[in-house]
Amino acid sequence: MSLNGGWEDNPSLKKRFLLLSLAVVLIFLLLVLRLWYLQIIGADRYRELSEKNRIRYIPVAAPRGPIYDRHGEILVDNRPSFTISVLRQEVEDKDALLTRLAGILGADPEELEKNWQSGSRFPRYRPFPLAEDVSRESLEVIQENSVNLPGVLTEVRPLRSYPHGELGAHLFGYLGEITQKELQNKQFSSGYRPGDFVGKRGLEKLLEKYLRGVEGERLLEVDVKGQELRILKTQEPQPGNKVFLTIDRKLQAATESAFGEEAGAAVVIRVKTGEVLALASRPAFDPALFARGISGKEWIDLLQNPRHPLQDKTIQGQYPPGSTFKMVTALAALKAGVAYPSTTVDCGGALSHGNRRFRCWKRGGHGRVDLKRALKESCDVWFYKVSLDLGIDRIAAMARALGLGIPLGFPLEGEKTGLIPDRQWKQQRQGTRWYDGETVIASIGQGYVLTTPLQLAVMTAGIANDGIVPRPQVISRIEDLTGNILEEMHPEILNDAQLNPSDLQVVKRGMEAVVNEPGGTAYKSRLNEIRIAGKTGTSQVVKLKDDHAPKREIAYRFRDHALFVGYAPAQDPEIAVSVLLEHGGSGGSNAAPVAQKIFAAYFDVPIPVHAPPSPPAPAPSPLPTEDLPPTPSDAVNGLPLQGMNPPPAGPPAPAPNLPPAPPVTPEQSLPPEAGGIVPEAEGD
Amino acid sequence: MFDRRLLTHFDWVLLLTVLTVAGIGILNLYSATSIWTGAGPPIYLKQIYWLGIGLTIALGVSSVDYRHLEYCGFFLYGLTLCLLVAVLLVGKTSMGATRWLDLGIFNLQPSEIMKIVIIITLARYFSQKGNLRGYSLRQLLVPFALLGVPSVMIMKQPDLGTAMMVIFIGVTMSLFAGLRRSTLAMLAILGSSAAAGGWFLLRPYQKQRILTFLNPEHDPLGAGYHIIQSKIAVGSGGFWGSGFMQGTQSQLSFLPERHTDFAFSVFAEEWGFTGSLILLGLYLFLIIWGIYIARRASDMFGMMLALGVTAMIFWHIVVNLGMVIGLLPVVGVPLPLFSYGGTSMVTTMIGTGLLLNISMRRFMF
């Protein structure tokens, strides 16, 4: 007590108690005043409101943010759609109402009943849609008959629209109704309710928080007949933010159409900045199907399509890169000093190592080849031979330095990392040691090696950019409505591969020769005005174990993948391109022409008509090992299927140093009879 | 040990007032939930159980001399802070907010305990660091830190209503403890400029987002609707009210949360201005009585404690009524003794127990 002695007689304390009591009384008076205002002055008005009229609460959906290309051209937009909604609080006879509506809309009453049931989870005062995206005619009939349809509202809602159809479908992704599980998620904890549409894939999902906007609301007073008397409160919705991509709409369109009916993927990126100009995955789907809710049948059709239209093959498809991998092997060998530009190998059509023969795609062999010619004509034996001295680990290090087999940090969900094998990986994964034979086939991008088309484009950009590998990016900037920039992309370097300029020069010359010199595997796909540098690849999907019975056709899923990577202009590179045709034949005959169309579109130059006889098209007979079946390119080209005649000269069973079945990309569902992947053969 | 004087000094006035308000509240809940589709025993019956539990707790709290609390004040504070940390780490999430600790038998809400504990802690601080010339800004650093840490943690759950209550209680106690004129002026300028600046600099949708974030269980977009329905209910009551169980707004279930946060609008519709005035009068009497208990307390700790509890009840009443009659934004704060809910009942009854405790020991030194 001593501490507080005499405290209670303190005059200032008395004053404080008095002040406090006064403040309390005053605040209570304020409450009473407000009650008086509501209950005495406002009584009549509020009684009328409670008895005669009704208050309608109408949420106003916010238009989702639009998506633009790099030049501000619109890619994804919103369009107004007419929705018939219902307010449960104003409906007296549900069944009569639904029957009448079904008549007007020409809809199935059961469908309406189903929508009604799913809307019962909303509060009574919240309108929910019974029929979406109805015709203007139906809308007008309903508006004329509104007196007979109590509780029915017509609303104009923004619906996602895609002015360019399927263009960029995988990149944009799609919307879907929010699930119960998502609602539990912290991300959706505020501002989301059952029935809302949210981004489910692609940029729509990634940028959900920027694109969504904020719902508005209107409070209306209506009479018993549902006629509007006055607006009590309006809060305008806040549209979502604008997203600008690095994509070039025209180039994207050209890239997609370059595929024709083929399945596959192509990526175009700017060599110096990593900006992705086009990102195409074929076949695509129509994102508009999802905007208003996809039907069960449409969904099943998409899922069961053997060419996987829903998969974004640019980042989720993992394929053996085939001969497009040869630059990696060459650069690794030069860097390690294992080979020199002048290193020549005598290609007799195959390399024997141990008890196995690894065949070059050209049965007769290339004769004496140096590095440049090995790239130009895609001689496998040069790389086989060099790889034995080089070893897998140095190849793998170079591949990773160039962006293969590692995550690129691309923002889109589901980016696959591919696979670059090395000794440690094999020991950990399979518990067995690495065999030389596996190095040999890895050196030409077969065996365990898997890459995504995006990674191949990044690798090519890295080579074109003298070893400085850019990080691929696709979102240029995000702006709010007033033009304030919320997010902006800055070019980033993924890695500096630290390549020796003279090594680079040799490889680049080889790549130029591929397209521009007679005998190059992509010589037919050159452009007159722009010098392209590139490399073709034909990668084998699967080895047919049972190839005794000749087939006229090889099943689609067993056909080779055709690849091409390249950059242009060769002297001062601007863009890098990767093209993959899934089960599409050979790199030179099938993939390079697609890339040619893309380059032509970018530089706005015509595609030349080359005289047919100019370069003798190398006969594609890809038979690297003896037990290899013929490739589809033969069948595709209508040539006689050489090598179809059994028995194969090689060992009947897989040789001891033949790799066990390597990992398989998800879309390649291998039948049990399929054996392991065997070295590829260059198709041309 | 037991002192007969305790019985003779027992504060029947306080207990009777509390029971009267709670009784009216239960009657009101009976009407508000007469059309009730929920499972289990009726709401009003559950509220009676809670009142019984609350009463037991209040008598328990009043039987142990409050001066013991002075010694374990900081210990309680530390313990509750740990519980708040536990909530942030392993709390149970519901409706987008993480506020509860699942104890198996029941869910504990540490932020509610913090309301009482912050009162004890600050009462101890201000009574020991007695300073009748008023506190300077620097001397306030410690109590503000004591207040700030749990408030931020509660805000993070997020639970705007409770965090606001904790801050209001603390600020009221600090103001009463006495500030220098210069300190007061400084705080007033700082506070109002920060609030005004913040509010005017924010765009409407940003404000909306903040409110949405801090207050997730209230559908912010439906909030306008709730308020207008509540105003219609209160206003249509008129002078005499529509009569018990006769409120059309509340009976037709236009009113959301009519048994919890919006319980008063049901009452105001059915009992009109007269009924509201009587209820407000009872609440005012309760608050003034609480101040009276503080004035008569036998020591400074008791005085600050009584003031803190009274401030807690006062701010709950004002913020809830302000929301229901459309003076304040929708923040989930229950009306003490009136809204349905065990948590609110228990907290209020602990407070009542403390007031009884202080009141009956006013002559003991």
Side-chain angles (χ1 to χ4, degrees), chain B residues 200-232:
Chain B
F200 284 113
L201 282 178
L202 292 177
R203 293 155 188 277
Y205 76 93
Q206 286 173 319
K207 284 187 235 175
Q208 187 68 57
R209 269 185 206 167
I210 291 173
L211 285 179
T212 313
F213 170 74
L214 292 173
N215 212 13
E217 78 271 56
H218 280 277
D219 184 349
L221 299 171
Y225 180 86
H226 292 182
I227 287 295
I228 209 158
Q229 293 296 355
S230 172
K231 272 156 68 177
I232 291 172

Side-chain angles (χ1 to χ4, degrees), chain A residues 330-448:
Chain A
L331 286 167
L334 292 170
K335 192 172 185 179
V338 167
Y340 303 93
S342 54
T343 303
T344 51
V345 167
D346 195 5
C347 171
L351 175 86
S352 295
H353 181 73
N355 58 353
R356 282 194 70 193
R357 289 186 77 218
F358 296 94
R359 302 200 53 167
C360 185
W361 67 268
K362 198 170 180 182
R363 271 203 148 170
H366 288 90
R368 290 190 76 81
V369 289
D370 60 2
L371 170 54
K372 187 186 156 192
R373 231 189 107 204
L375 284 170
K376 175 185 147 194
E377 296 175 25
S378 207
C379 169
D380 295 334
V381 172
W382 193 94
F383 294 93
Y384 292 158
K385 183 119 192 172
V386 162
S387 72
L388 285 170
D389 295 334
L390 187 56
I392 187 64
D393 287 351
R394 285 191 281 200
I395 296 176
M398 178 57 71
R400 290 186 193 120
L402 289 169
L404 304 179
I406 59 168
L408 298 175
F410 200 62
L412 288 185
E413 197 184 42
E415 183 202 346
K416 293 274 165 60
T417 55
L419 176 62
I420 297 299
D422 58 15
R423 286 170 199 281
Q424 196 192 354
W425 170 84
K426 182 147 188 237
Q427 192 63 46
Q428 280 172 359
R429 194 58 183 273
Q430 309 196 336
T432 50
R433 74 176 197 85
W434 185 269
Y435 297 103
D436 280 349
E438 292 168 330
T439 306
V440 169
I441 56 173
S443 74
I444 57 157
Q446 288 281 173
Y448 299 108

Side-chain angles (χ1 to χ4, degrees), chain B residues 73-340:
Chain B
F74 284 135
F75 170 73
L76 284 177
Y77 182 80
L79 192 72
T80 314
L81 221 50
C82 291
L83 289 177
L84 282 175
V85 173
V87 167
L88 290 181
L89 295 180
V90 296
K92 196 172 153 251
T93 306
S94 143
M95 315 269 282
T98 312
R99 297 177 188 167
W100 300 269
L101 285 178
D102 193 349
L103 295 185
I105 328 165
F106 65 100
N107 292 326
L108 187 70
Q109 196 180 338
S111 56
E112 280 294 319
I113 304 177
M114 197 33 125
K115 282 183 194 165
I116 300 287
V117 168
I118 197 74
I119 293 170
I120 299 172
T121 312
L122 289 181
R124 181 191 144 115
Y125 182 83
F126 285 124
S127 63
Q128 292 197 339
K129 299 265 188 306
N131 185 344
L132 290 173
R133 279 176 296 122
Y135 293 83
S136 67
L137 210 51
R138 228 184 31 208
Q139 288 167 310
L140 281 179
L141 279 181
V142 174
F144 278 13
L146 287 174
L147 192 57
V149 173
S151 306
V152 169
M153 284 163 71
I154 296 170
M155 202 84 94
K156 266 191 89 107
Q157 293 182 353
D159 186 349
L160 179 64
T162 310
M164 218 168 69
M165 283 299 126
V166 170
I167 292 172
F168 280 13
I169 294 165
V171 169
T172 311
M173 288 176 77
S174 308
L175 280 177
F176 188 84
L179 305 178
R180 286 192 192 149
R181 225 166 267 250
S182 58
T183 316
L184 200 62
M186 188 83 99
L187 280 182
I189 293 169
L190 273 179
S192 55
S193 56
W199 201 245
F200 284 113
L201 282 178
L202 292 177
R203 293 155 188 277
Y205 76 93
Q206 286 173 319
K207 284 187 235 175
Q208 187 68 57
R209 269 185 206 167
I210 291 173
L211 285 179
T212 313
F213 170 74
L214 292 173
N215 212 13
E217 78 271 56
H218 280 277
D219 184 349
L221 299 171
Y225 180 86
H226 292 182
I227 287 295
I228 209 158
Q229 293 296 355
S230 172
K231 272 156 68 177
I232 291 172
V234 173
S236 63
F239 191 77
W240 292 110
S242 54
F244 186 53
M245 311 264 303
Q246 304 296 317
T248 53
Q249 279 289 308
S250 18
Q251 300 299 339
L252 285 178
S253 39
F254 282 120
L255 258 181
E257 305 187 55
R258 56 192 188 282
H259 62 294
T260 56
D261 288 357
F262 284 88
F264 178 77
S265 42
V266 176
F267 182 81
E269 183 182 14
E270 298 185 350
W271 298 96
F273 188 58
T274 26
S276 309
L277 223 52
I278 291 170
L279 186 67
L280 249 64
L282 280 169
Y283 274 127
L284 180 62
F285 179 77
L286 186 65
I287 299 302
I288 297 292
W289 193 260
I291 296 174
Y292 179 61
I293 291 173
R295 180 78 187 92
R296 292 187 308 171
S298 65
D299 58 5
M300 185 116 168
F301 176 65
M303 180 185 84
M304 292 308 293
L305 200 58
L307 269 174
V309 171
T310 309
M312 175 181 85
I313 298 174
F314 173 75
W315 285 119
H316 274 89
I317 296 169
V318 170
V319 172
N320 177 276
L321 291 185
M323 165 184 82
V324 168
I325 61 184
L327 283 177
L328 296 174
V330 175
V331 177
V333 171
L335 186 58
L337 305 168
F338 214 77
S339 296
Y340 169 73

Side-chain angles (χ1 to χ4, degrees), chain A residues 27 32 43 61-62 79-80 172 199 277 331 410 452 467 520 626 630 659:
Chain A
I27 291 179
V32 170
R79 68 175 170 86
F172 309 143
L277 298 179
L331 286 167
F410 200 62
T452 67
E626 296 294 340

Side-chain angles (χ1 to χ4, degrees), chain A residues 16 34 57 125 193 215 217, chain B residues 176 219 221 226 234 268 325:
Chain A
R16 270 182 227 165
R34 173 72 176 178
Y57 164 73
Y125 61 82
R193 272 174 305 214
E215 199 177 78
E217 65 177 6
Chain B
F176 188 84
D219 184 349
L221 299 171
H226 292 182
V234 173
I325 61 184

Side-chain angles (χ1 to χ4, degrees), chain A residues 544-555 558 629-630 641 643-648:
Chain A
L544 294 178
K545 195 177 177 187
D546 177 24
D547 51 16
H548 305 303
K551 293 172 195 144
R552 290 312 300 173
E553 284 184 1
I554 295 173
F558 299 143
L641 291 172
M644 266 296 179
N645 303 322

